[in-house]
Every structure is written in C-alpha cells, then in structure tokens.
Amino acid sequence: VIARALRAEARVLEEQENFLALVSHQFKTPLASLQLSLETMALRTLSAEQSRTLIDRMLADLARMEAMVTQILESARLERGRVEFKSEPLELGAAVARVVAHLEERARQERIRISCDIGPGLFVVSDPLALDVVVRNILENALAAVTPLGGGSIALSARALNGEVELSVRDSGVGFRPADGARIFERFTRLHPRGGGGHYGTGLGLFIVHRLMHLGQGRVSAHSEGVGQGAHFVLTWPAAQGQRS
Amino acid sequence: MSATPSGTRVLVVEDDPHLAAGVMENLRAEGYQVSTAGDGEQALAWLGEQGCALIVLDVMLPGIDGFGVCRTLREQGNKHAGAVSHRARRPRGSRPGPGVRW
C-alpha cells in the first residue's frame, strides 16, 4: 500500500514538473514575439503602417498570454479538485444562445455561419459557470478550426435521449486524424498550432471541457473523418428531472 | 552565407505566425530574400525544390521537429545550407551536431 502511494506521489510530482515545463514553453512563444516586435520598433525606422502592424501584433500577444493565464488558473483549480460544482437544472438552448451571441461578431468577420437548432425545454443538470465555459470553449475551438479555411459553418443541435441531453457541434473546419479523437482532450495538445489564423489555441480549452464534463457526470467526444474533413463534437449531460422531451 | 545579404536566400521555419512574420520582416529589411515554412514537412518540401544559403529553424515544430529536419537534410547530402536555431529548447544531453548552431 505504501509503495503504491509513493508511486502515485512520484507520478503526481512528475506530472507537475511536466506541467511546469509545458506552461513555461507555452509562454515563451508570445514572449519571444513581444520581444521581437519591441526590439524591431526600438531599432528600426518604421512607417506608420508598419508600426501599427507591430502594435496590433503585440496587443494580440498580450491577449494570448492573458487567455493562457486564465485557462491555466482554471485548469489548475480543476486539477486540485477545488471546484465547487453546483448541480442545477439549466436550459441548454438559453446557455448556448448567450455564448453564440458573444461570438457572432467574430464569426461574421471570419465568414463563418453559426446555425443553432435547439428547441426550448431541454434542461441539463450542470453548474451554470461550467456550462458556460464548456460551450464557449467548444465554440471557440470550432471557430479556430474553420477560420484557416477562410470561412465555413458551425451547426449546433440538441436532443433528449435516454435520460440525457446531447449537444452536437459540427464544423466544416480543418478536422483531425481519426486516431487523434482522444488525444485532442489532453493538456497542451494542439493538433493545428497554426490553425485559426490570428487566433491562438492555448492547448487548454478542450482539456478544460473534458474535465468539466466529467466533474458534472457528463461526457464529451470528438470525431473527424480526417484532416480537412471538418469535426463533430458531442457533449452529453444528465437531463434534469421532469423534463418534457 | 555570403558576406552581403542582398538577395541571399533564407528559409525561416517557424510554426508561430507572429514570430515567423517578425523574423521574416527583419531579415527582409536587411536585404535577404526570405521564405517561410510552418512545419518541418513544409520546409523539407520547399528545400526539395529550391536551395537557400541559410535555414532559421525552430526546434519545437509540429510533426518533424527541427532536429528531424537537420537530420533529413544531412541524410539527403544537403550540405549547402547552414542551420541556425533561433529559440532552442535544448533537450537534456543533446548535441546540436554539425551544421547546427544554437
């Protein structure tokens, strides 16, 4: 028993060390980019247009680091189990509509059509914040997958099924190799580091989705026929009692 | 690498679009003729068709990493290009090998 406990502790320590190494490396990229932009501005004579490009680049690098800090804190809290997970009946359609409204502007700019076919009366049991984070991360992932193709579509639909509620998110994006369907939810897995044009993945979004779904007795799976074939994410929550279906 | 940058061809291999653009713009401002590749496979495909005097190579790349690119180039007998790693994460105990500088 003691040997097993020691092995488990060693594994946790090793994972933490790996986590730190990975986190540090993730930060080095936007930091290197910031440094390069600033040094370029300091050492070269630039046109107003060139300066503007560099300033926009630096602002995007900062936004990227800020998003990473938020997600790292979120995932660290999840890892330590320090999440107070509420279980309440929540209307899926309303939660999805809020996130979609938030992302619509960006989708329009990238020529991505988001269609949403979720009827009223579908209630899931989840934590309101967790539900919001999960839907947002899944949709942001879909946007990042479609953006490099210069436009496309994201289709959301939902149905009640055997005491559960299933949300289906299909995108016409870059897809992935079918064998990567499980790996995509691991920490810092970025199957398309260049994916998303101006949008940067932190490699934490889908990891957080996976953890939050499991905390709430739900599931998530990812499917794709292959690179360039789009992707299909399916999220399943327990249905709230007394639901009309 | 020739002493004058004017027209000298450089390939920048970097998977981060901001870094790739920044390195490319600075090299262009110095008069180099710069192309970019987003991963090792793209770099090898590009190098299969054309030559360059210098490769600025990121080590952590998706797919074939920077070491893999160097190894493949050496195996192909490609000796004309020098490779410089511009932001290496040096794996423990690794040696850069001939033609590669940290």
Side-chain angles (χ1 to χ4, degrees), chain A residues 28-44 46 54 57-58 61, chain B residues 12 14 16-27 86-87:
Chain A
K28 277 180 98 171
T29 304
L31 272 175
S33 176
L34 264 177
Q35 188 179 3
L36 182 59
S37 296
L38 274 169
E39 282 176 0
T40 304
M41 291 189 86
L43 297 173
R44 292 195 188 280
L46 301 168
L54 287 180
R57 205 176 280 166
M58 289 191 286
D61 286 329
Chain B
V12 175
E14 168 61 60
D16 183 81
H18 280 187
L19 273 173
V23 172
M24 180 179 76
E25 286 156 9
N26 276 288
L27 287 169
H86 66 103
R87 53 185 197 106

Side-chain angles (χ1 to χ4, degrees), chain A residues 114-184:
Chain A
I114 304 181
S115 63
C116 198
D117 178 21
I118 302 173
L122 282 176
F123 283 84
V124 302
V125 178
S126 183
D127 176 277
L129 265 178
L131 182 63
D132 181 71
V133 169
V134 161
V135 175
R136 182 163 38 87
N137 285 3
I138 281 283
L139 273 174
E140 287 196 338
N141 181 70
L143 282 174
V146 179
T147 300
L149 303 181
S153 64
I154 298 169
L156 295 123
S157 62
R159 59 175 178 169
L161 195 73
N162 303 329
E164 293 181 324
V165 172
E166 194 182 88
L167 173 68
S168 152
V169 182
R170 275 180 200 279
D171 69 64
S172 64
V174 293
F176 50 85
R177 291 180 306 171
D180 285 332
R183 203 164 70 85
I184 204 168

Side-chain angles (χ1 to χ4, degrees), chain A:
Chain A
V1 175
I2 292 171
R4 202 183 308 149
L6 283 174
R7 271 202 302 277
E9 198 184 317
R11 199 161 52 234
V12 168
L13 279 174
E14 195 190 335
E15 274 178 13
Q16 280 175 349
E17 214 169 272
N18 284 342
F19 181 73
L20 274 178
L22 280 165
V23 165
S24 317
H25 187 75
Q26 296 283 311
F27 273 99
K28 277 180 98 171
T29 304
L31 272 175
S33 176
L34 264 177
Q35 188 179 3
L36 182 59
S37 296
L38 274 169
E39 282 176 0
T40 304
M41 291 189 86
L43 297 173
R44 292 195 188 280
T45 312
L46 301 168
S47 69
E49 195 189 337
Q50 287 170 321
S51 300
R52 187 70 236 170
T53 304
L54 287 180
I55 287 169
D56 287 342
R57 205 176 280 166
M58 289 191 286
L59 286 172
D61 286 329
L62 280 173
R64 180 174 165 195
M65 286 199 280
E66 201 198 338
M68 281 169 60
V69 170
T70 306
Q71 293 200 324
I72 285 164
L73 290 176
E74 244 166 40
S75 68
R77 269 190 332 135
L78 285 174
E79 283 297 272
R80 292 198 209 104
R82 278 204 207 147
V83 183
E84 275 185 47
F85 205 90
K86 292 183 196 151
S87 291
E88 352 181 311
L90 302 162
E91 192 180 8
L92 183 62
V96 170
R98 273 195 301 274
V99 177
V100 169
H102 194 68
L103 295 173
E104 243 164 9
E105 175 62 26
R106 201 171 104 208
R108 207 171 18 248
Q109 281 171 6
E110 307 287 358
R111 290 185 292 280
I112 298 167
R113 197 167 38 82
I114 304 181
S115 63
C116 198
D117 178 21
I118 302 173
L122 282 176
F123 283 84
V124 302
V125 178
S126 183
D127 176 277
L129 265 178
L131 182 63
D132 181 71
V133 169
V134 161
V135 175
R136 182 163 38 87
N137 285 3
I138 281 283
L139 273 174
E140 287 196 338
N141 181 70
L143 282 174
V146 179
T147 300
L149 303 181
S153 64
I154 298 169
L156 295 123
S157 62
R159 59 175 178 169
L161 195 73
N162 303 329
E164 293 181 324
V165 172
E166 194 182 88
L167 173 68
S168 152
V169 182
R170 275 180 200 279
D171 69 64
S172 64
V174 293
F176 50 85
R177 291 180 306 171
D180 285 332
R183 203 164 70 85
I184 204 168
F185 294 107
E186 286 170 17
R187 231 177 354 199
F188 296 120
T189 299
R190 290 185 305 158
L191 300 178
H192 304 283
R194 253 175 118 97
H199 178 79
Y200 290 89
T202 57
L204 286 169
L206 291 180
F207 165 74
I208 291 170
V209 167
H210 190 253
R211 293 304 294 239
L212 284 175
M213 288 307 285
H214 276 255
L215 275 175
Q217 270 77 52
R219 301 186 299 279
V220 58
S221 59
H223 317 269
S224 176
E225 300 286 315
V227 174
Q229 305 291 307
H232 182 205
F233 286 80
V234 179
L235 298 116
T236 311
W237 292 269
Q241 291 291 319
Q243 167 162 256
R244 282 165 291 145
S245 61

